[in-house]
Amino acid sequence: MSWLKQLWQSFLDNFVSHVLVVPERDPAARKGFFGWLEIILCYPGVHAIWMHRIAHWLWKLGVPVLPRLISHINRLLTNIEIHPGAKIGKGVFIDHGAGVVIGETAEVGDNVTMYQGVTLGGTGKERGKRHPTIGDNVVIGAGAIILGNITVGENSRIGAGSVVVKPVPPNATAVGVPAKVVSINGVRVEPLEHHRIPDPQLEMFRQFQLELEELRRRVEALERLGARELADDPEAK
């Protein structure tokens, strides 16, 4: 029965790891007995991962319907949606948690921290691996969206509200819409100015304005040319 003991130990380690990391990453967590009790009873991010552990275990066993039902109940209770097929590492912490969505083929490494509104999603109806792979020790800011079969390298940081559609190297910081890498290993790649994060819609309208002005200049030039030709043509008079 040693395999059963190992299975139970692994299962217990996974459950406990998500509790132990909370005081390290949440300054609001209280110390002492009541602090631990509060974490166990009042942290939806912890509850969501616990329920996911059960759903994922059943999913791997090939149990029909029940894993998805547990996932659905999980979302109703915690407002966090984790597909039972997603792989979640040890020590993952979902702070606040409201609105977090993790897709079926997503893989989240150890000691990852993510905040409310994070989405690890796909980009279409493709089959196979279609969700992101998140390396160890990554921090994903509130409202960040990471799409497609891409990898976010270990120890990286994703800024709040960023939309990541391309791979992010290890030890990097990425911000913006779409996200751009602004530093690697603490060395700035380009200036990080939060008030100048790219706005794709604004850039699109600016481009339309430039093209419209160019078309207006061409039309005016053609009108002037036509007026001169008309003035020089005696038969037209």
Side-chain angles (χ1 to χ4, degrees):
M1 298 294 287
S2 60
W3 66 270
L4 187 60
K5 183 178 180 180
Q6 291 177 356
L7 180 64
W8 170 250
Q9 187 63 45
S10 174
F11 195 70
L12 190 61
D13 287 346
N14 280 325
F15 269 67
V16 172
S17 71
H18 303 293
V19 174
L20 296 179
V21 298
V22 174
E24 301 174 7
R25 304 183 205 171
D26 183 7
R30 303 172 187 272
K31 297 181 180 180
F33 171 78
F34 289 105
W36 291 112
L37 187 63
E38 188 176 76
I39 292 171
I40 293 171
L41 297 179
C42 305
Y43 273 67
V46 174
H47 303 157
I49 296 179
W50 281 353
M51 293 184 69
H52 171 72
R53 290 289 180 199
I54 299 171
H56 183 65
W57 180 64
L58 295 171
W59 178 270
K60 290 196 299 183
L61 291 178
V63 177
V65 183
L66 187 56
R68 292 300 301 269
L69 179 60
I70 294 174
S71 175
H72 181 63
I73 295 172
N74 192 0
R75 183 179 64 176
L76 292 176
L77 294 176
T78 66
N79 200 20
I80 297 171
E81 181 173 343
I82 309 176
H83 192 285
K87 298 178 181 178
I88 306 293
K90 293 182 179 180
V92 173
F93 177 46
I94 303 176
D95 197 3
H96 301 293
V100 169
V101 177
I102 301 177
E104 177 184 3
T105 61
E107 298 180 27
V108 180
D110 296 338
N111 301 312
V112 169
T113 301
M114 61 182 76
Y115 294 86
Q116 67 272 17
V118 167
T119 298
L120 306 182
T123 56
K125 297 181 179 180
E126 68 273 16
R127 298 287 183 176
K129 183 74 168 72
R130 60 190 185 279
H131 296 98
T133 297
I134 310 300
D136 297 343
N137 308 308
V138 170
V139 176
I140 307 175
I145 299 173
I146 306 176
L147 300 175
N149 181 19
I150 60 175
T151 298
V152 177
E154 59 185 17
N155 305 312
S156 290
R157 303 290 183 268
I158 306 300
S162 300
V163 178
V164 184
V165 293
K166 295 182 179 179
V168 176
N171 307 300
T173 298
V175 299
V177 181
K180 294 182 179 180
V181 174
V182 295
S183 69
I184 300 177
N185 293 315
V187 179
R188 184 170 293 182
V189 176
E190 60 181 55
L192 174 55
E193 300 176 88
H194 292 284
H195 64 292
R196 295 184 180 176
I197 290 176
D199 185 335
Q201 292 184 338
L202 180 60
E203 293 298 325
M204 179 180 67
F205 284 121
R206 284 175 177 170
Q207 186 63 33
F208 284 160
Q209 184 179 13
L210 291 174
E211 293 179 0
L212 183 60
E213 291 174 354
E214 177 63 23
L215 287 173
R216 183 181 294 113
R217 284 194 296 267
R218 291 184 181 184
V219 170
E220 290 174 351
L222 288 172
E223 287 177 347
R224 288 193 297 270
L225 179 61
R228 285 198 300 268
E229 290 179 349
L230 185 62
D232 296 339
D233 187 355
E235 296 183 358
K237 297 178 182 179

